[in-house]
Amino acid sequence: MVNTGGPLFWSSQETHRQPRTFKRHNGQHRWPSILEFSGNPSPATNRRSKVQALKEERIESLQMAAEAATIPLLTPYKLGKFNLSHRVVLAPMGRLRSYGDVPQPHAILYYSQRTSKGGLLIAEAAGVSDTAQGFPDAPGIWTKQQVEAWKPIVDAVHAKGGVFFCQIFHVGRVSNQGFQPNGQAPISSTDKPLTPQNEANGIDVADFTPPRRLRIEEIPQIVNDFRLAARNAIEAGFDGVEIHGAHGYLIDQFMKDEVNDRTDQYGGSLENRCRFALEVVEAVANEIGADRVGIRLSPFADYMESGDSDPNALGLYMAESLNKYGILYCHMVEPRMKTAEEISDCPHSLVPMRKAFKGSFFVAGGYQREDGNKAIAEDRADLVVFGRLFLANPDLPKRFKLNAPLNKYNRDTFYTSDPVVGYSDYPFLEDNA
């Protein structure tokens, strides 16, 4: 499963065991020394113990630095004003457990489990308006209730020292009238219908209502919806937002020439097809600051019948154009991920886009520990985004550090609505000990 910024699940009914309590020194975990249990030592003993503790911490710090030096994914990185302790990023994976489009308390545990001090997490895609939805129980961020529901989730991530971005999106034609206000048709760059697709569970078929082509005068309102959603994300406490411009959703429907058949200023040429995406970027950057904005793009992907005849040109044009706005990062999906499920051989590369974009560059798409390390070591990316592996391994950075075995993910529970199973019940290393 590729992290499409929408749905993911799984869980036994066993209570998750909490790791044993231990002390924290300079952000590092250390077992209490015997001196801390020995009553009231003399001043001289206290002085010696403090010196010894400082020596131990220094040695531990040097050991960790030496280990990280051999594991590129675990080296620190300065992402704008955010000091990251490693380069393993939680992907924005839709989990479809936000009942009634409102984030739920069980998400507090899910996200906090996957938080490490100085780690970056990108939340599942949140709809920017009531026309933006196309999945059952996907979260939104356009109402006050939704904003308030996100706050304790964000607080939990911050309490553990994490950096948290909110992905914001509009599904466009990947919807049907059952998700739309007043049963209206979904909106898109086109009126071309999307053929029925197998849903994430591989059994049910999703039917899509033929979309309505947006009129030119309506487009500024959609841009404004993204701007307000970004403002709401900051109000909820998020450190920034990622604009979802990938995987066949509305922004992608404007950019890709296999979908966009417009003849006005939003269609035809590459510049025209990218106009809507860049207007959204500009509006969001102006609202919350470019240093809090990222964007996700998948120029090579053909999700939801959204392919392009020249993905190299599209990716390069967007990478170069984004520099004008000075946004924090560009997050691109590898060309090998043409579909959501399979890695395929591909002669194309994201290196030209990485070289063209002046901000931080993220890559995603089927990465494992070895090729993630290689991407960082070869300077093909600044950070690597992990979806399925992080879903099934809440302590993924630690497992990478120790080169420990990974839990296997259960695809059958990616998108179910259970608040525990396949969600917060994947075990930590301590649970397997």
Side-chain angles (χ1 to χ4, degrees):
M1 178 210 78
V2 157
N3 16 300
T4 58
L8 292 173
F9 267 79
W10 180 59
S11 160
S12 71
Q13 298 301 320
E14 296 176 11
T15 301
H16 178 73
R17 292 186 296 173
Q18 297 300 318
R20 291 164 287 181
T21 302
F22 47 103
K23 298 278 185 178
R24 222 174 163 62
H25 287 270
N26 295 335
Q28 304 299 331
H29 295 309
R30 180 178 68 80
W31 289 106
S33 73
I34 191 168
L35 289 171
E36 294 172 78
F37 293 107
S38 59
N40 299 309
S42 67
T45 302
N46 271 333
R47 283 194 296 273
R48 284 195 300 272
S49 65
K50 288 178 181 177
V51 170
Q52 182 62 27
L54 288 172
K55 286 181 179 178
E56 291 174 359
E57 289 170 9
R58 177 63 176 160
I59 290 170
E60 185 178 14
S61 177
L62 290 172
Q63 287 174 337
M64 291 189 67
E67 290 170 356
T70 64
I71 306 175
L73 282 169
L74 299 183
T75 54
Y77 182 75
K78 187 166 179 58
L79 178 65
K81 58 186 161 187
F82 306 107
N83 294 311
L84 304 182
S85 62
H86 59 77
R87 303 173 187 234
V88 180
V89 181
L90 175 69
M93 299 171 286
R95 303 309 313 270
L96 305 189
R97 290 161 164 83
S98 297
Y99 312 140
D101 300 338
V102 177
Q104 298 295 305
H106 48 251
I108 296 172
L109 177 60
Y110 173 77
Y111 283 107
S112 64
Q113 284 178 332
R114 286 154 184 78
T115 302
S116 55
K117 184 175 174 60
L120 174 63
L121 297 79
I122 308 172
E124 61 205 277
V128 300
S129 70
D130 59 357
T131 68
Q133 302 297 83
F135 298 98
D137 296 329
I141 196 159
W142 73 88
T143 71
K144 182 68 174 174
Q145 181 187 14
Q146 291 164 342
V147 171
E148 292 301 315
W150 276 114
K151 287 181 178 179
I153 303 169
V154 177
D155 289 345
V157 170
H158 286 160
K160 293 183 69 173
V163 178
F164 206 10
F165 271 52
C166 179
Q167 190 185 69
I168 55 177
F169 85 146
H170 193 300
V171 298
R173 67 174 182 168
V174 186
S175 186
N176 65 49
Q177 60 189 32
F179 290 104
Q180 296 298 311
N182 304 314
Q184 66 192 39
I187 57 176
S188 181
S189 63
T190 181
D191 55 10
K192 290 189 293 188
L194 186 61
T195 57
Q197 308 271 324
N198 282 334
E199 295 221 75
N201 58 19
I203 301 172
D204 299 330
V205 173
D207 289 314
F208 304 104
T209 302
R212 179 178 66 81
R213 186 193 307 267
L214 280 166
R215 300 187 301 274
I216 287 181
E217 62 270 21
E218 294 177 296
I219 292 175
Q221 178 58 53
I222 309 303
V223 173
N224 194 55
D225 288 339
F226 276 90
R227 180 185 68 83
L228 294 175
R231 178 200 288 179
N232 287 342
I234 299 305
E235 182 184 340
F238 284 101
D239 298 295
V241 303
E242 177 178 283
I243 298 163
H244 197 346
H247 294 155
Y249 298 124
L250 182 61
I251 291 176
D252 212 23
Q253 290 161 30
F254 272 86
M255 289 190 289
K256 300 287 184 67
D257 61 9
E258 289 182 11
V259 182
N260 188 337
D261 56 357
R262 305 176 73 94
T263 57
D264 56 23
Q265 69 247 42
Y266 290 95
S269 70
L270 181 58
E271 294 78 6
N272 281 356
R273 286 184 280 116
C274 292
R275 187 185 307 278
F276 174 62
L278 296 174
E279 287 179 350
V280 170
V281 169
E282 182 176 28
V284 169
N286 287 343
E287 179 64 33
I288 66 172
D291 60 344
R292 292 178 177 269
V293 178
I295 188 170
R296 190 176 211 204
L297 301 170
S298 58
F300 295 91
D302 190 16
Y303 301 170
M304 299 297 176
E305 300 171 12
S306 293
D308 194 81
S309 62
D310 193 348
N312 277 301
L314 172 59
L316 198 56
Y317 178 80
M318 282 298 295
E320 292 170 343
S321 299
L322 290 169
N323 291 328
K324 173 183 175 183
Y325 307 100
I327 63 173
L328 183 62
Y329 72 81
C330 179
H331 172 187
M332 280 204 184
V333 178
E334 287 285 354
R336 63 190 180 186
M337 303 304 297
K338 291 279 288 185
T339 68
E341 304 298 338
E342 297 179 9
I343 296 176
S344 58
D345 292 332
C346 180
H348 302 296
S349 168
L350 295 179
V351 171
M353 296 79 174
R354 196 279 197 273
K355 291 180 177 178
F357 182 67
K358 292 181 168 51
S360 294
F361 196 77
F362 298 11
V363 293
Y367 274 95
Q368 304 284 329
R369 181 181 188 270
E370 184 177 355
D371 58 348
N373 278 324
K374 192 174 180 182
I376 300 298
E378 296 178 354
D379 197 33
R380 289 185 281 111
D382 296 306
L383 292 100
V384 180
V385 183
F386 293 87
R388 288 168 287 188
L389 295 190
F390 224 145
L391 177 157
N393 297 273
D395 50 358
L396 188 63
K398 180 177 181 179
R399 289 177 188 257
F400 280 172
K401 175 185 173 183
L402 301 174
N403 200 16
L406 301 180
N407 299 324
K408 296 186 184 303
Y409 54 81
N410 181 353
R411 191 182 299 275
D412 292 340
T413 57
F414 281 170
Y415 306 109
T416 59
S417 60
D418 193 294
V420 178
V421 177
Y423 191 58
S424 58
D425 66 338
Y426 282 99
F428 288 73
L429 277 174
E430 291 90 342
D431 301 326
N432 295 327

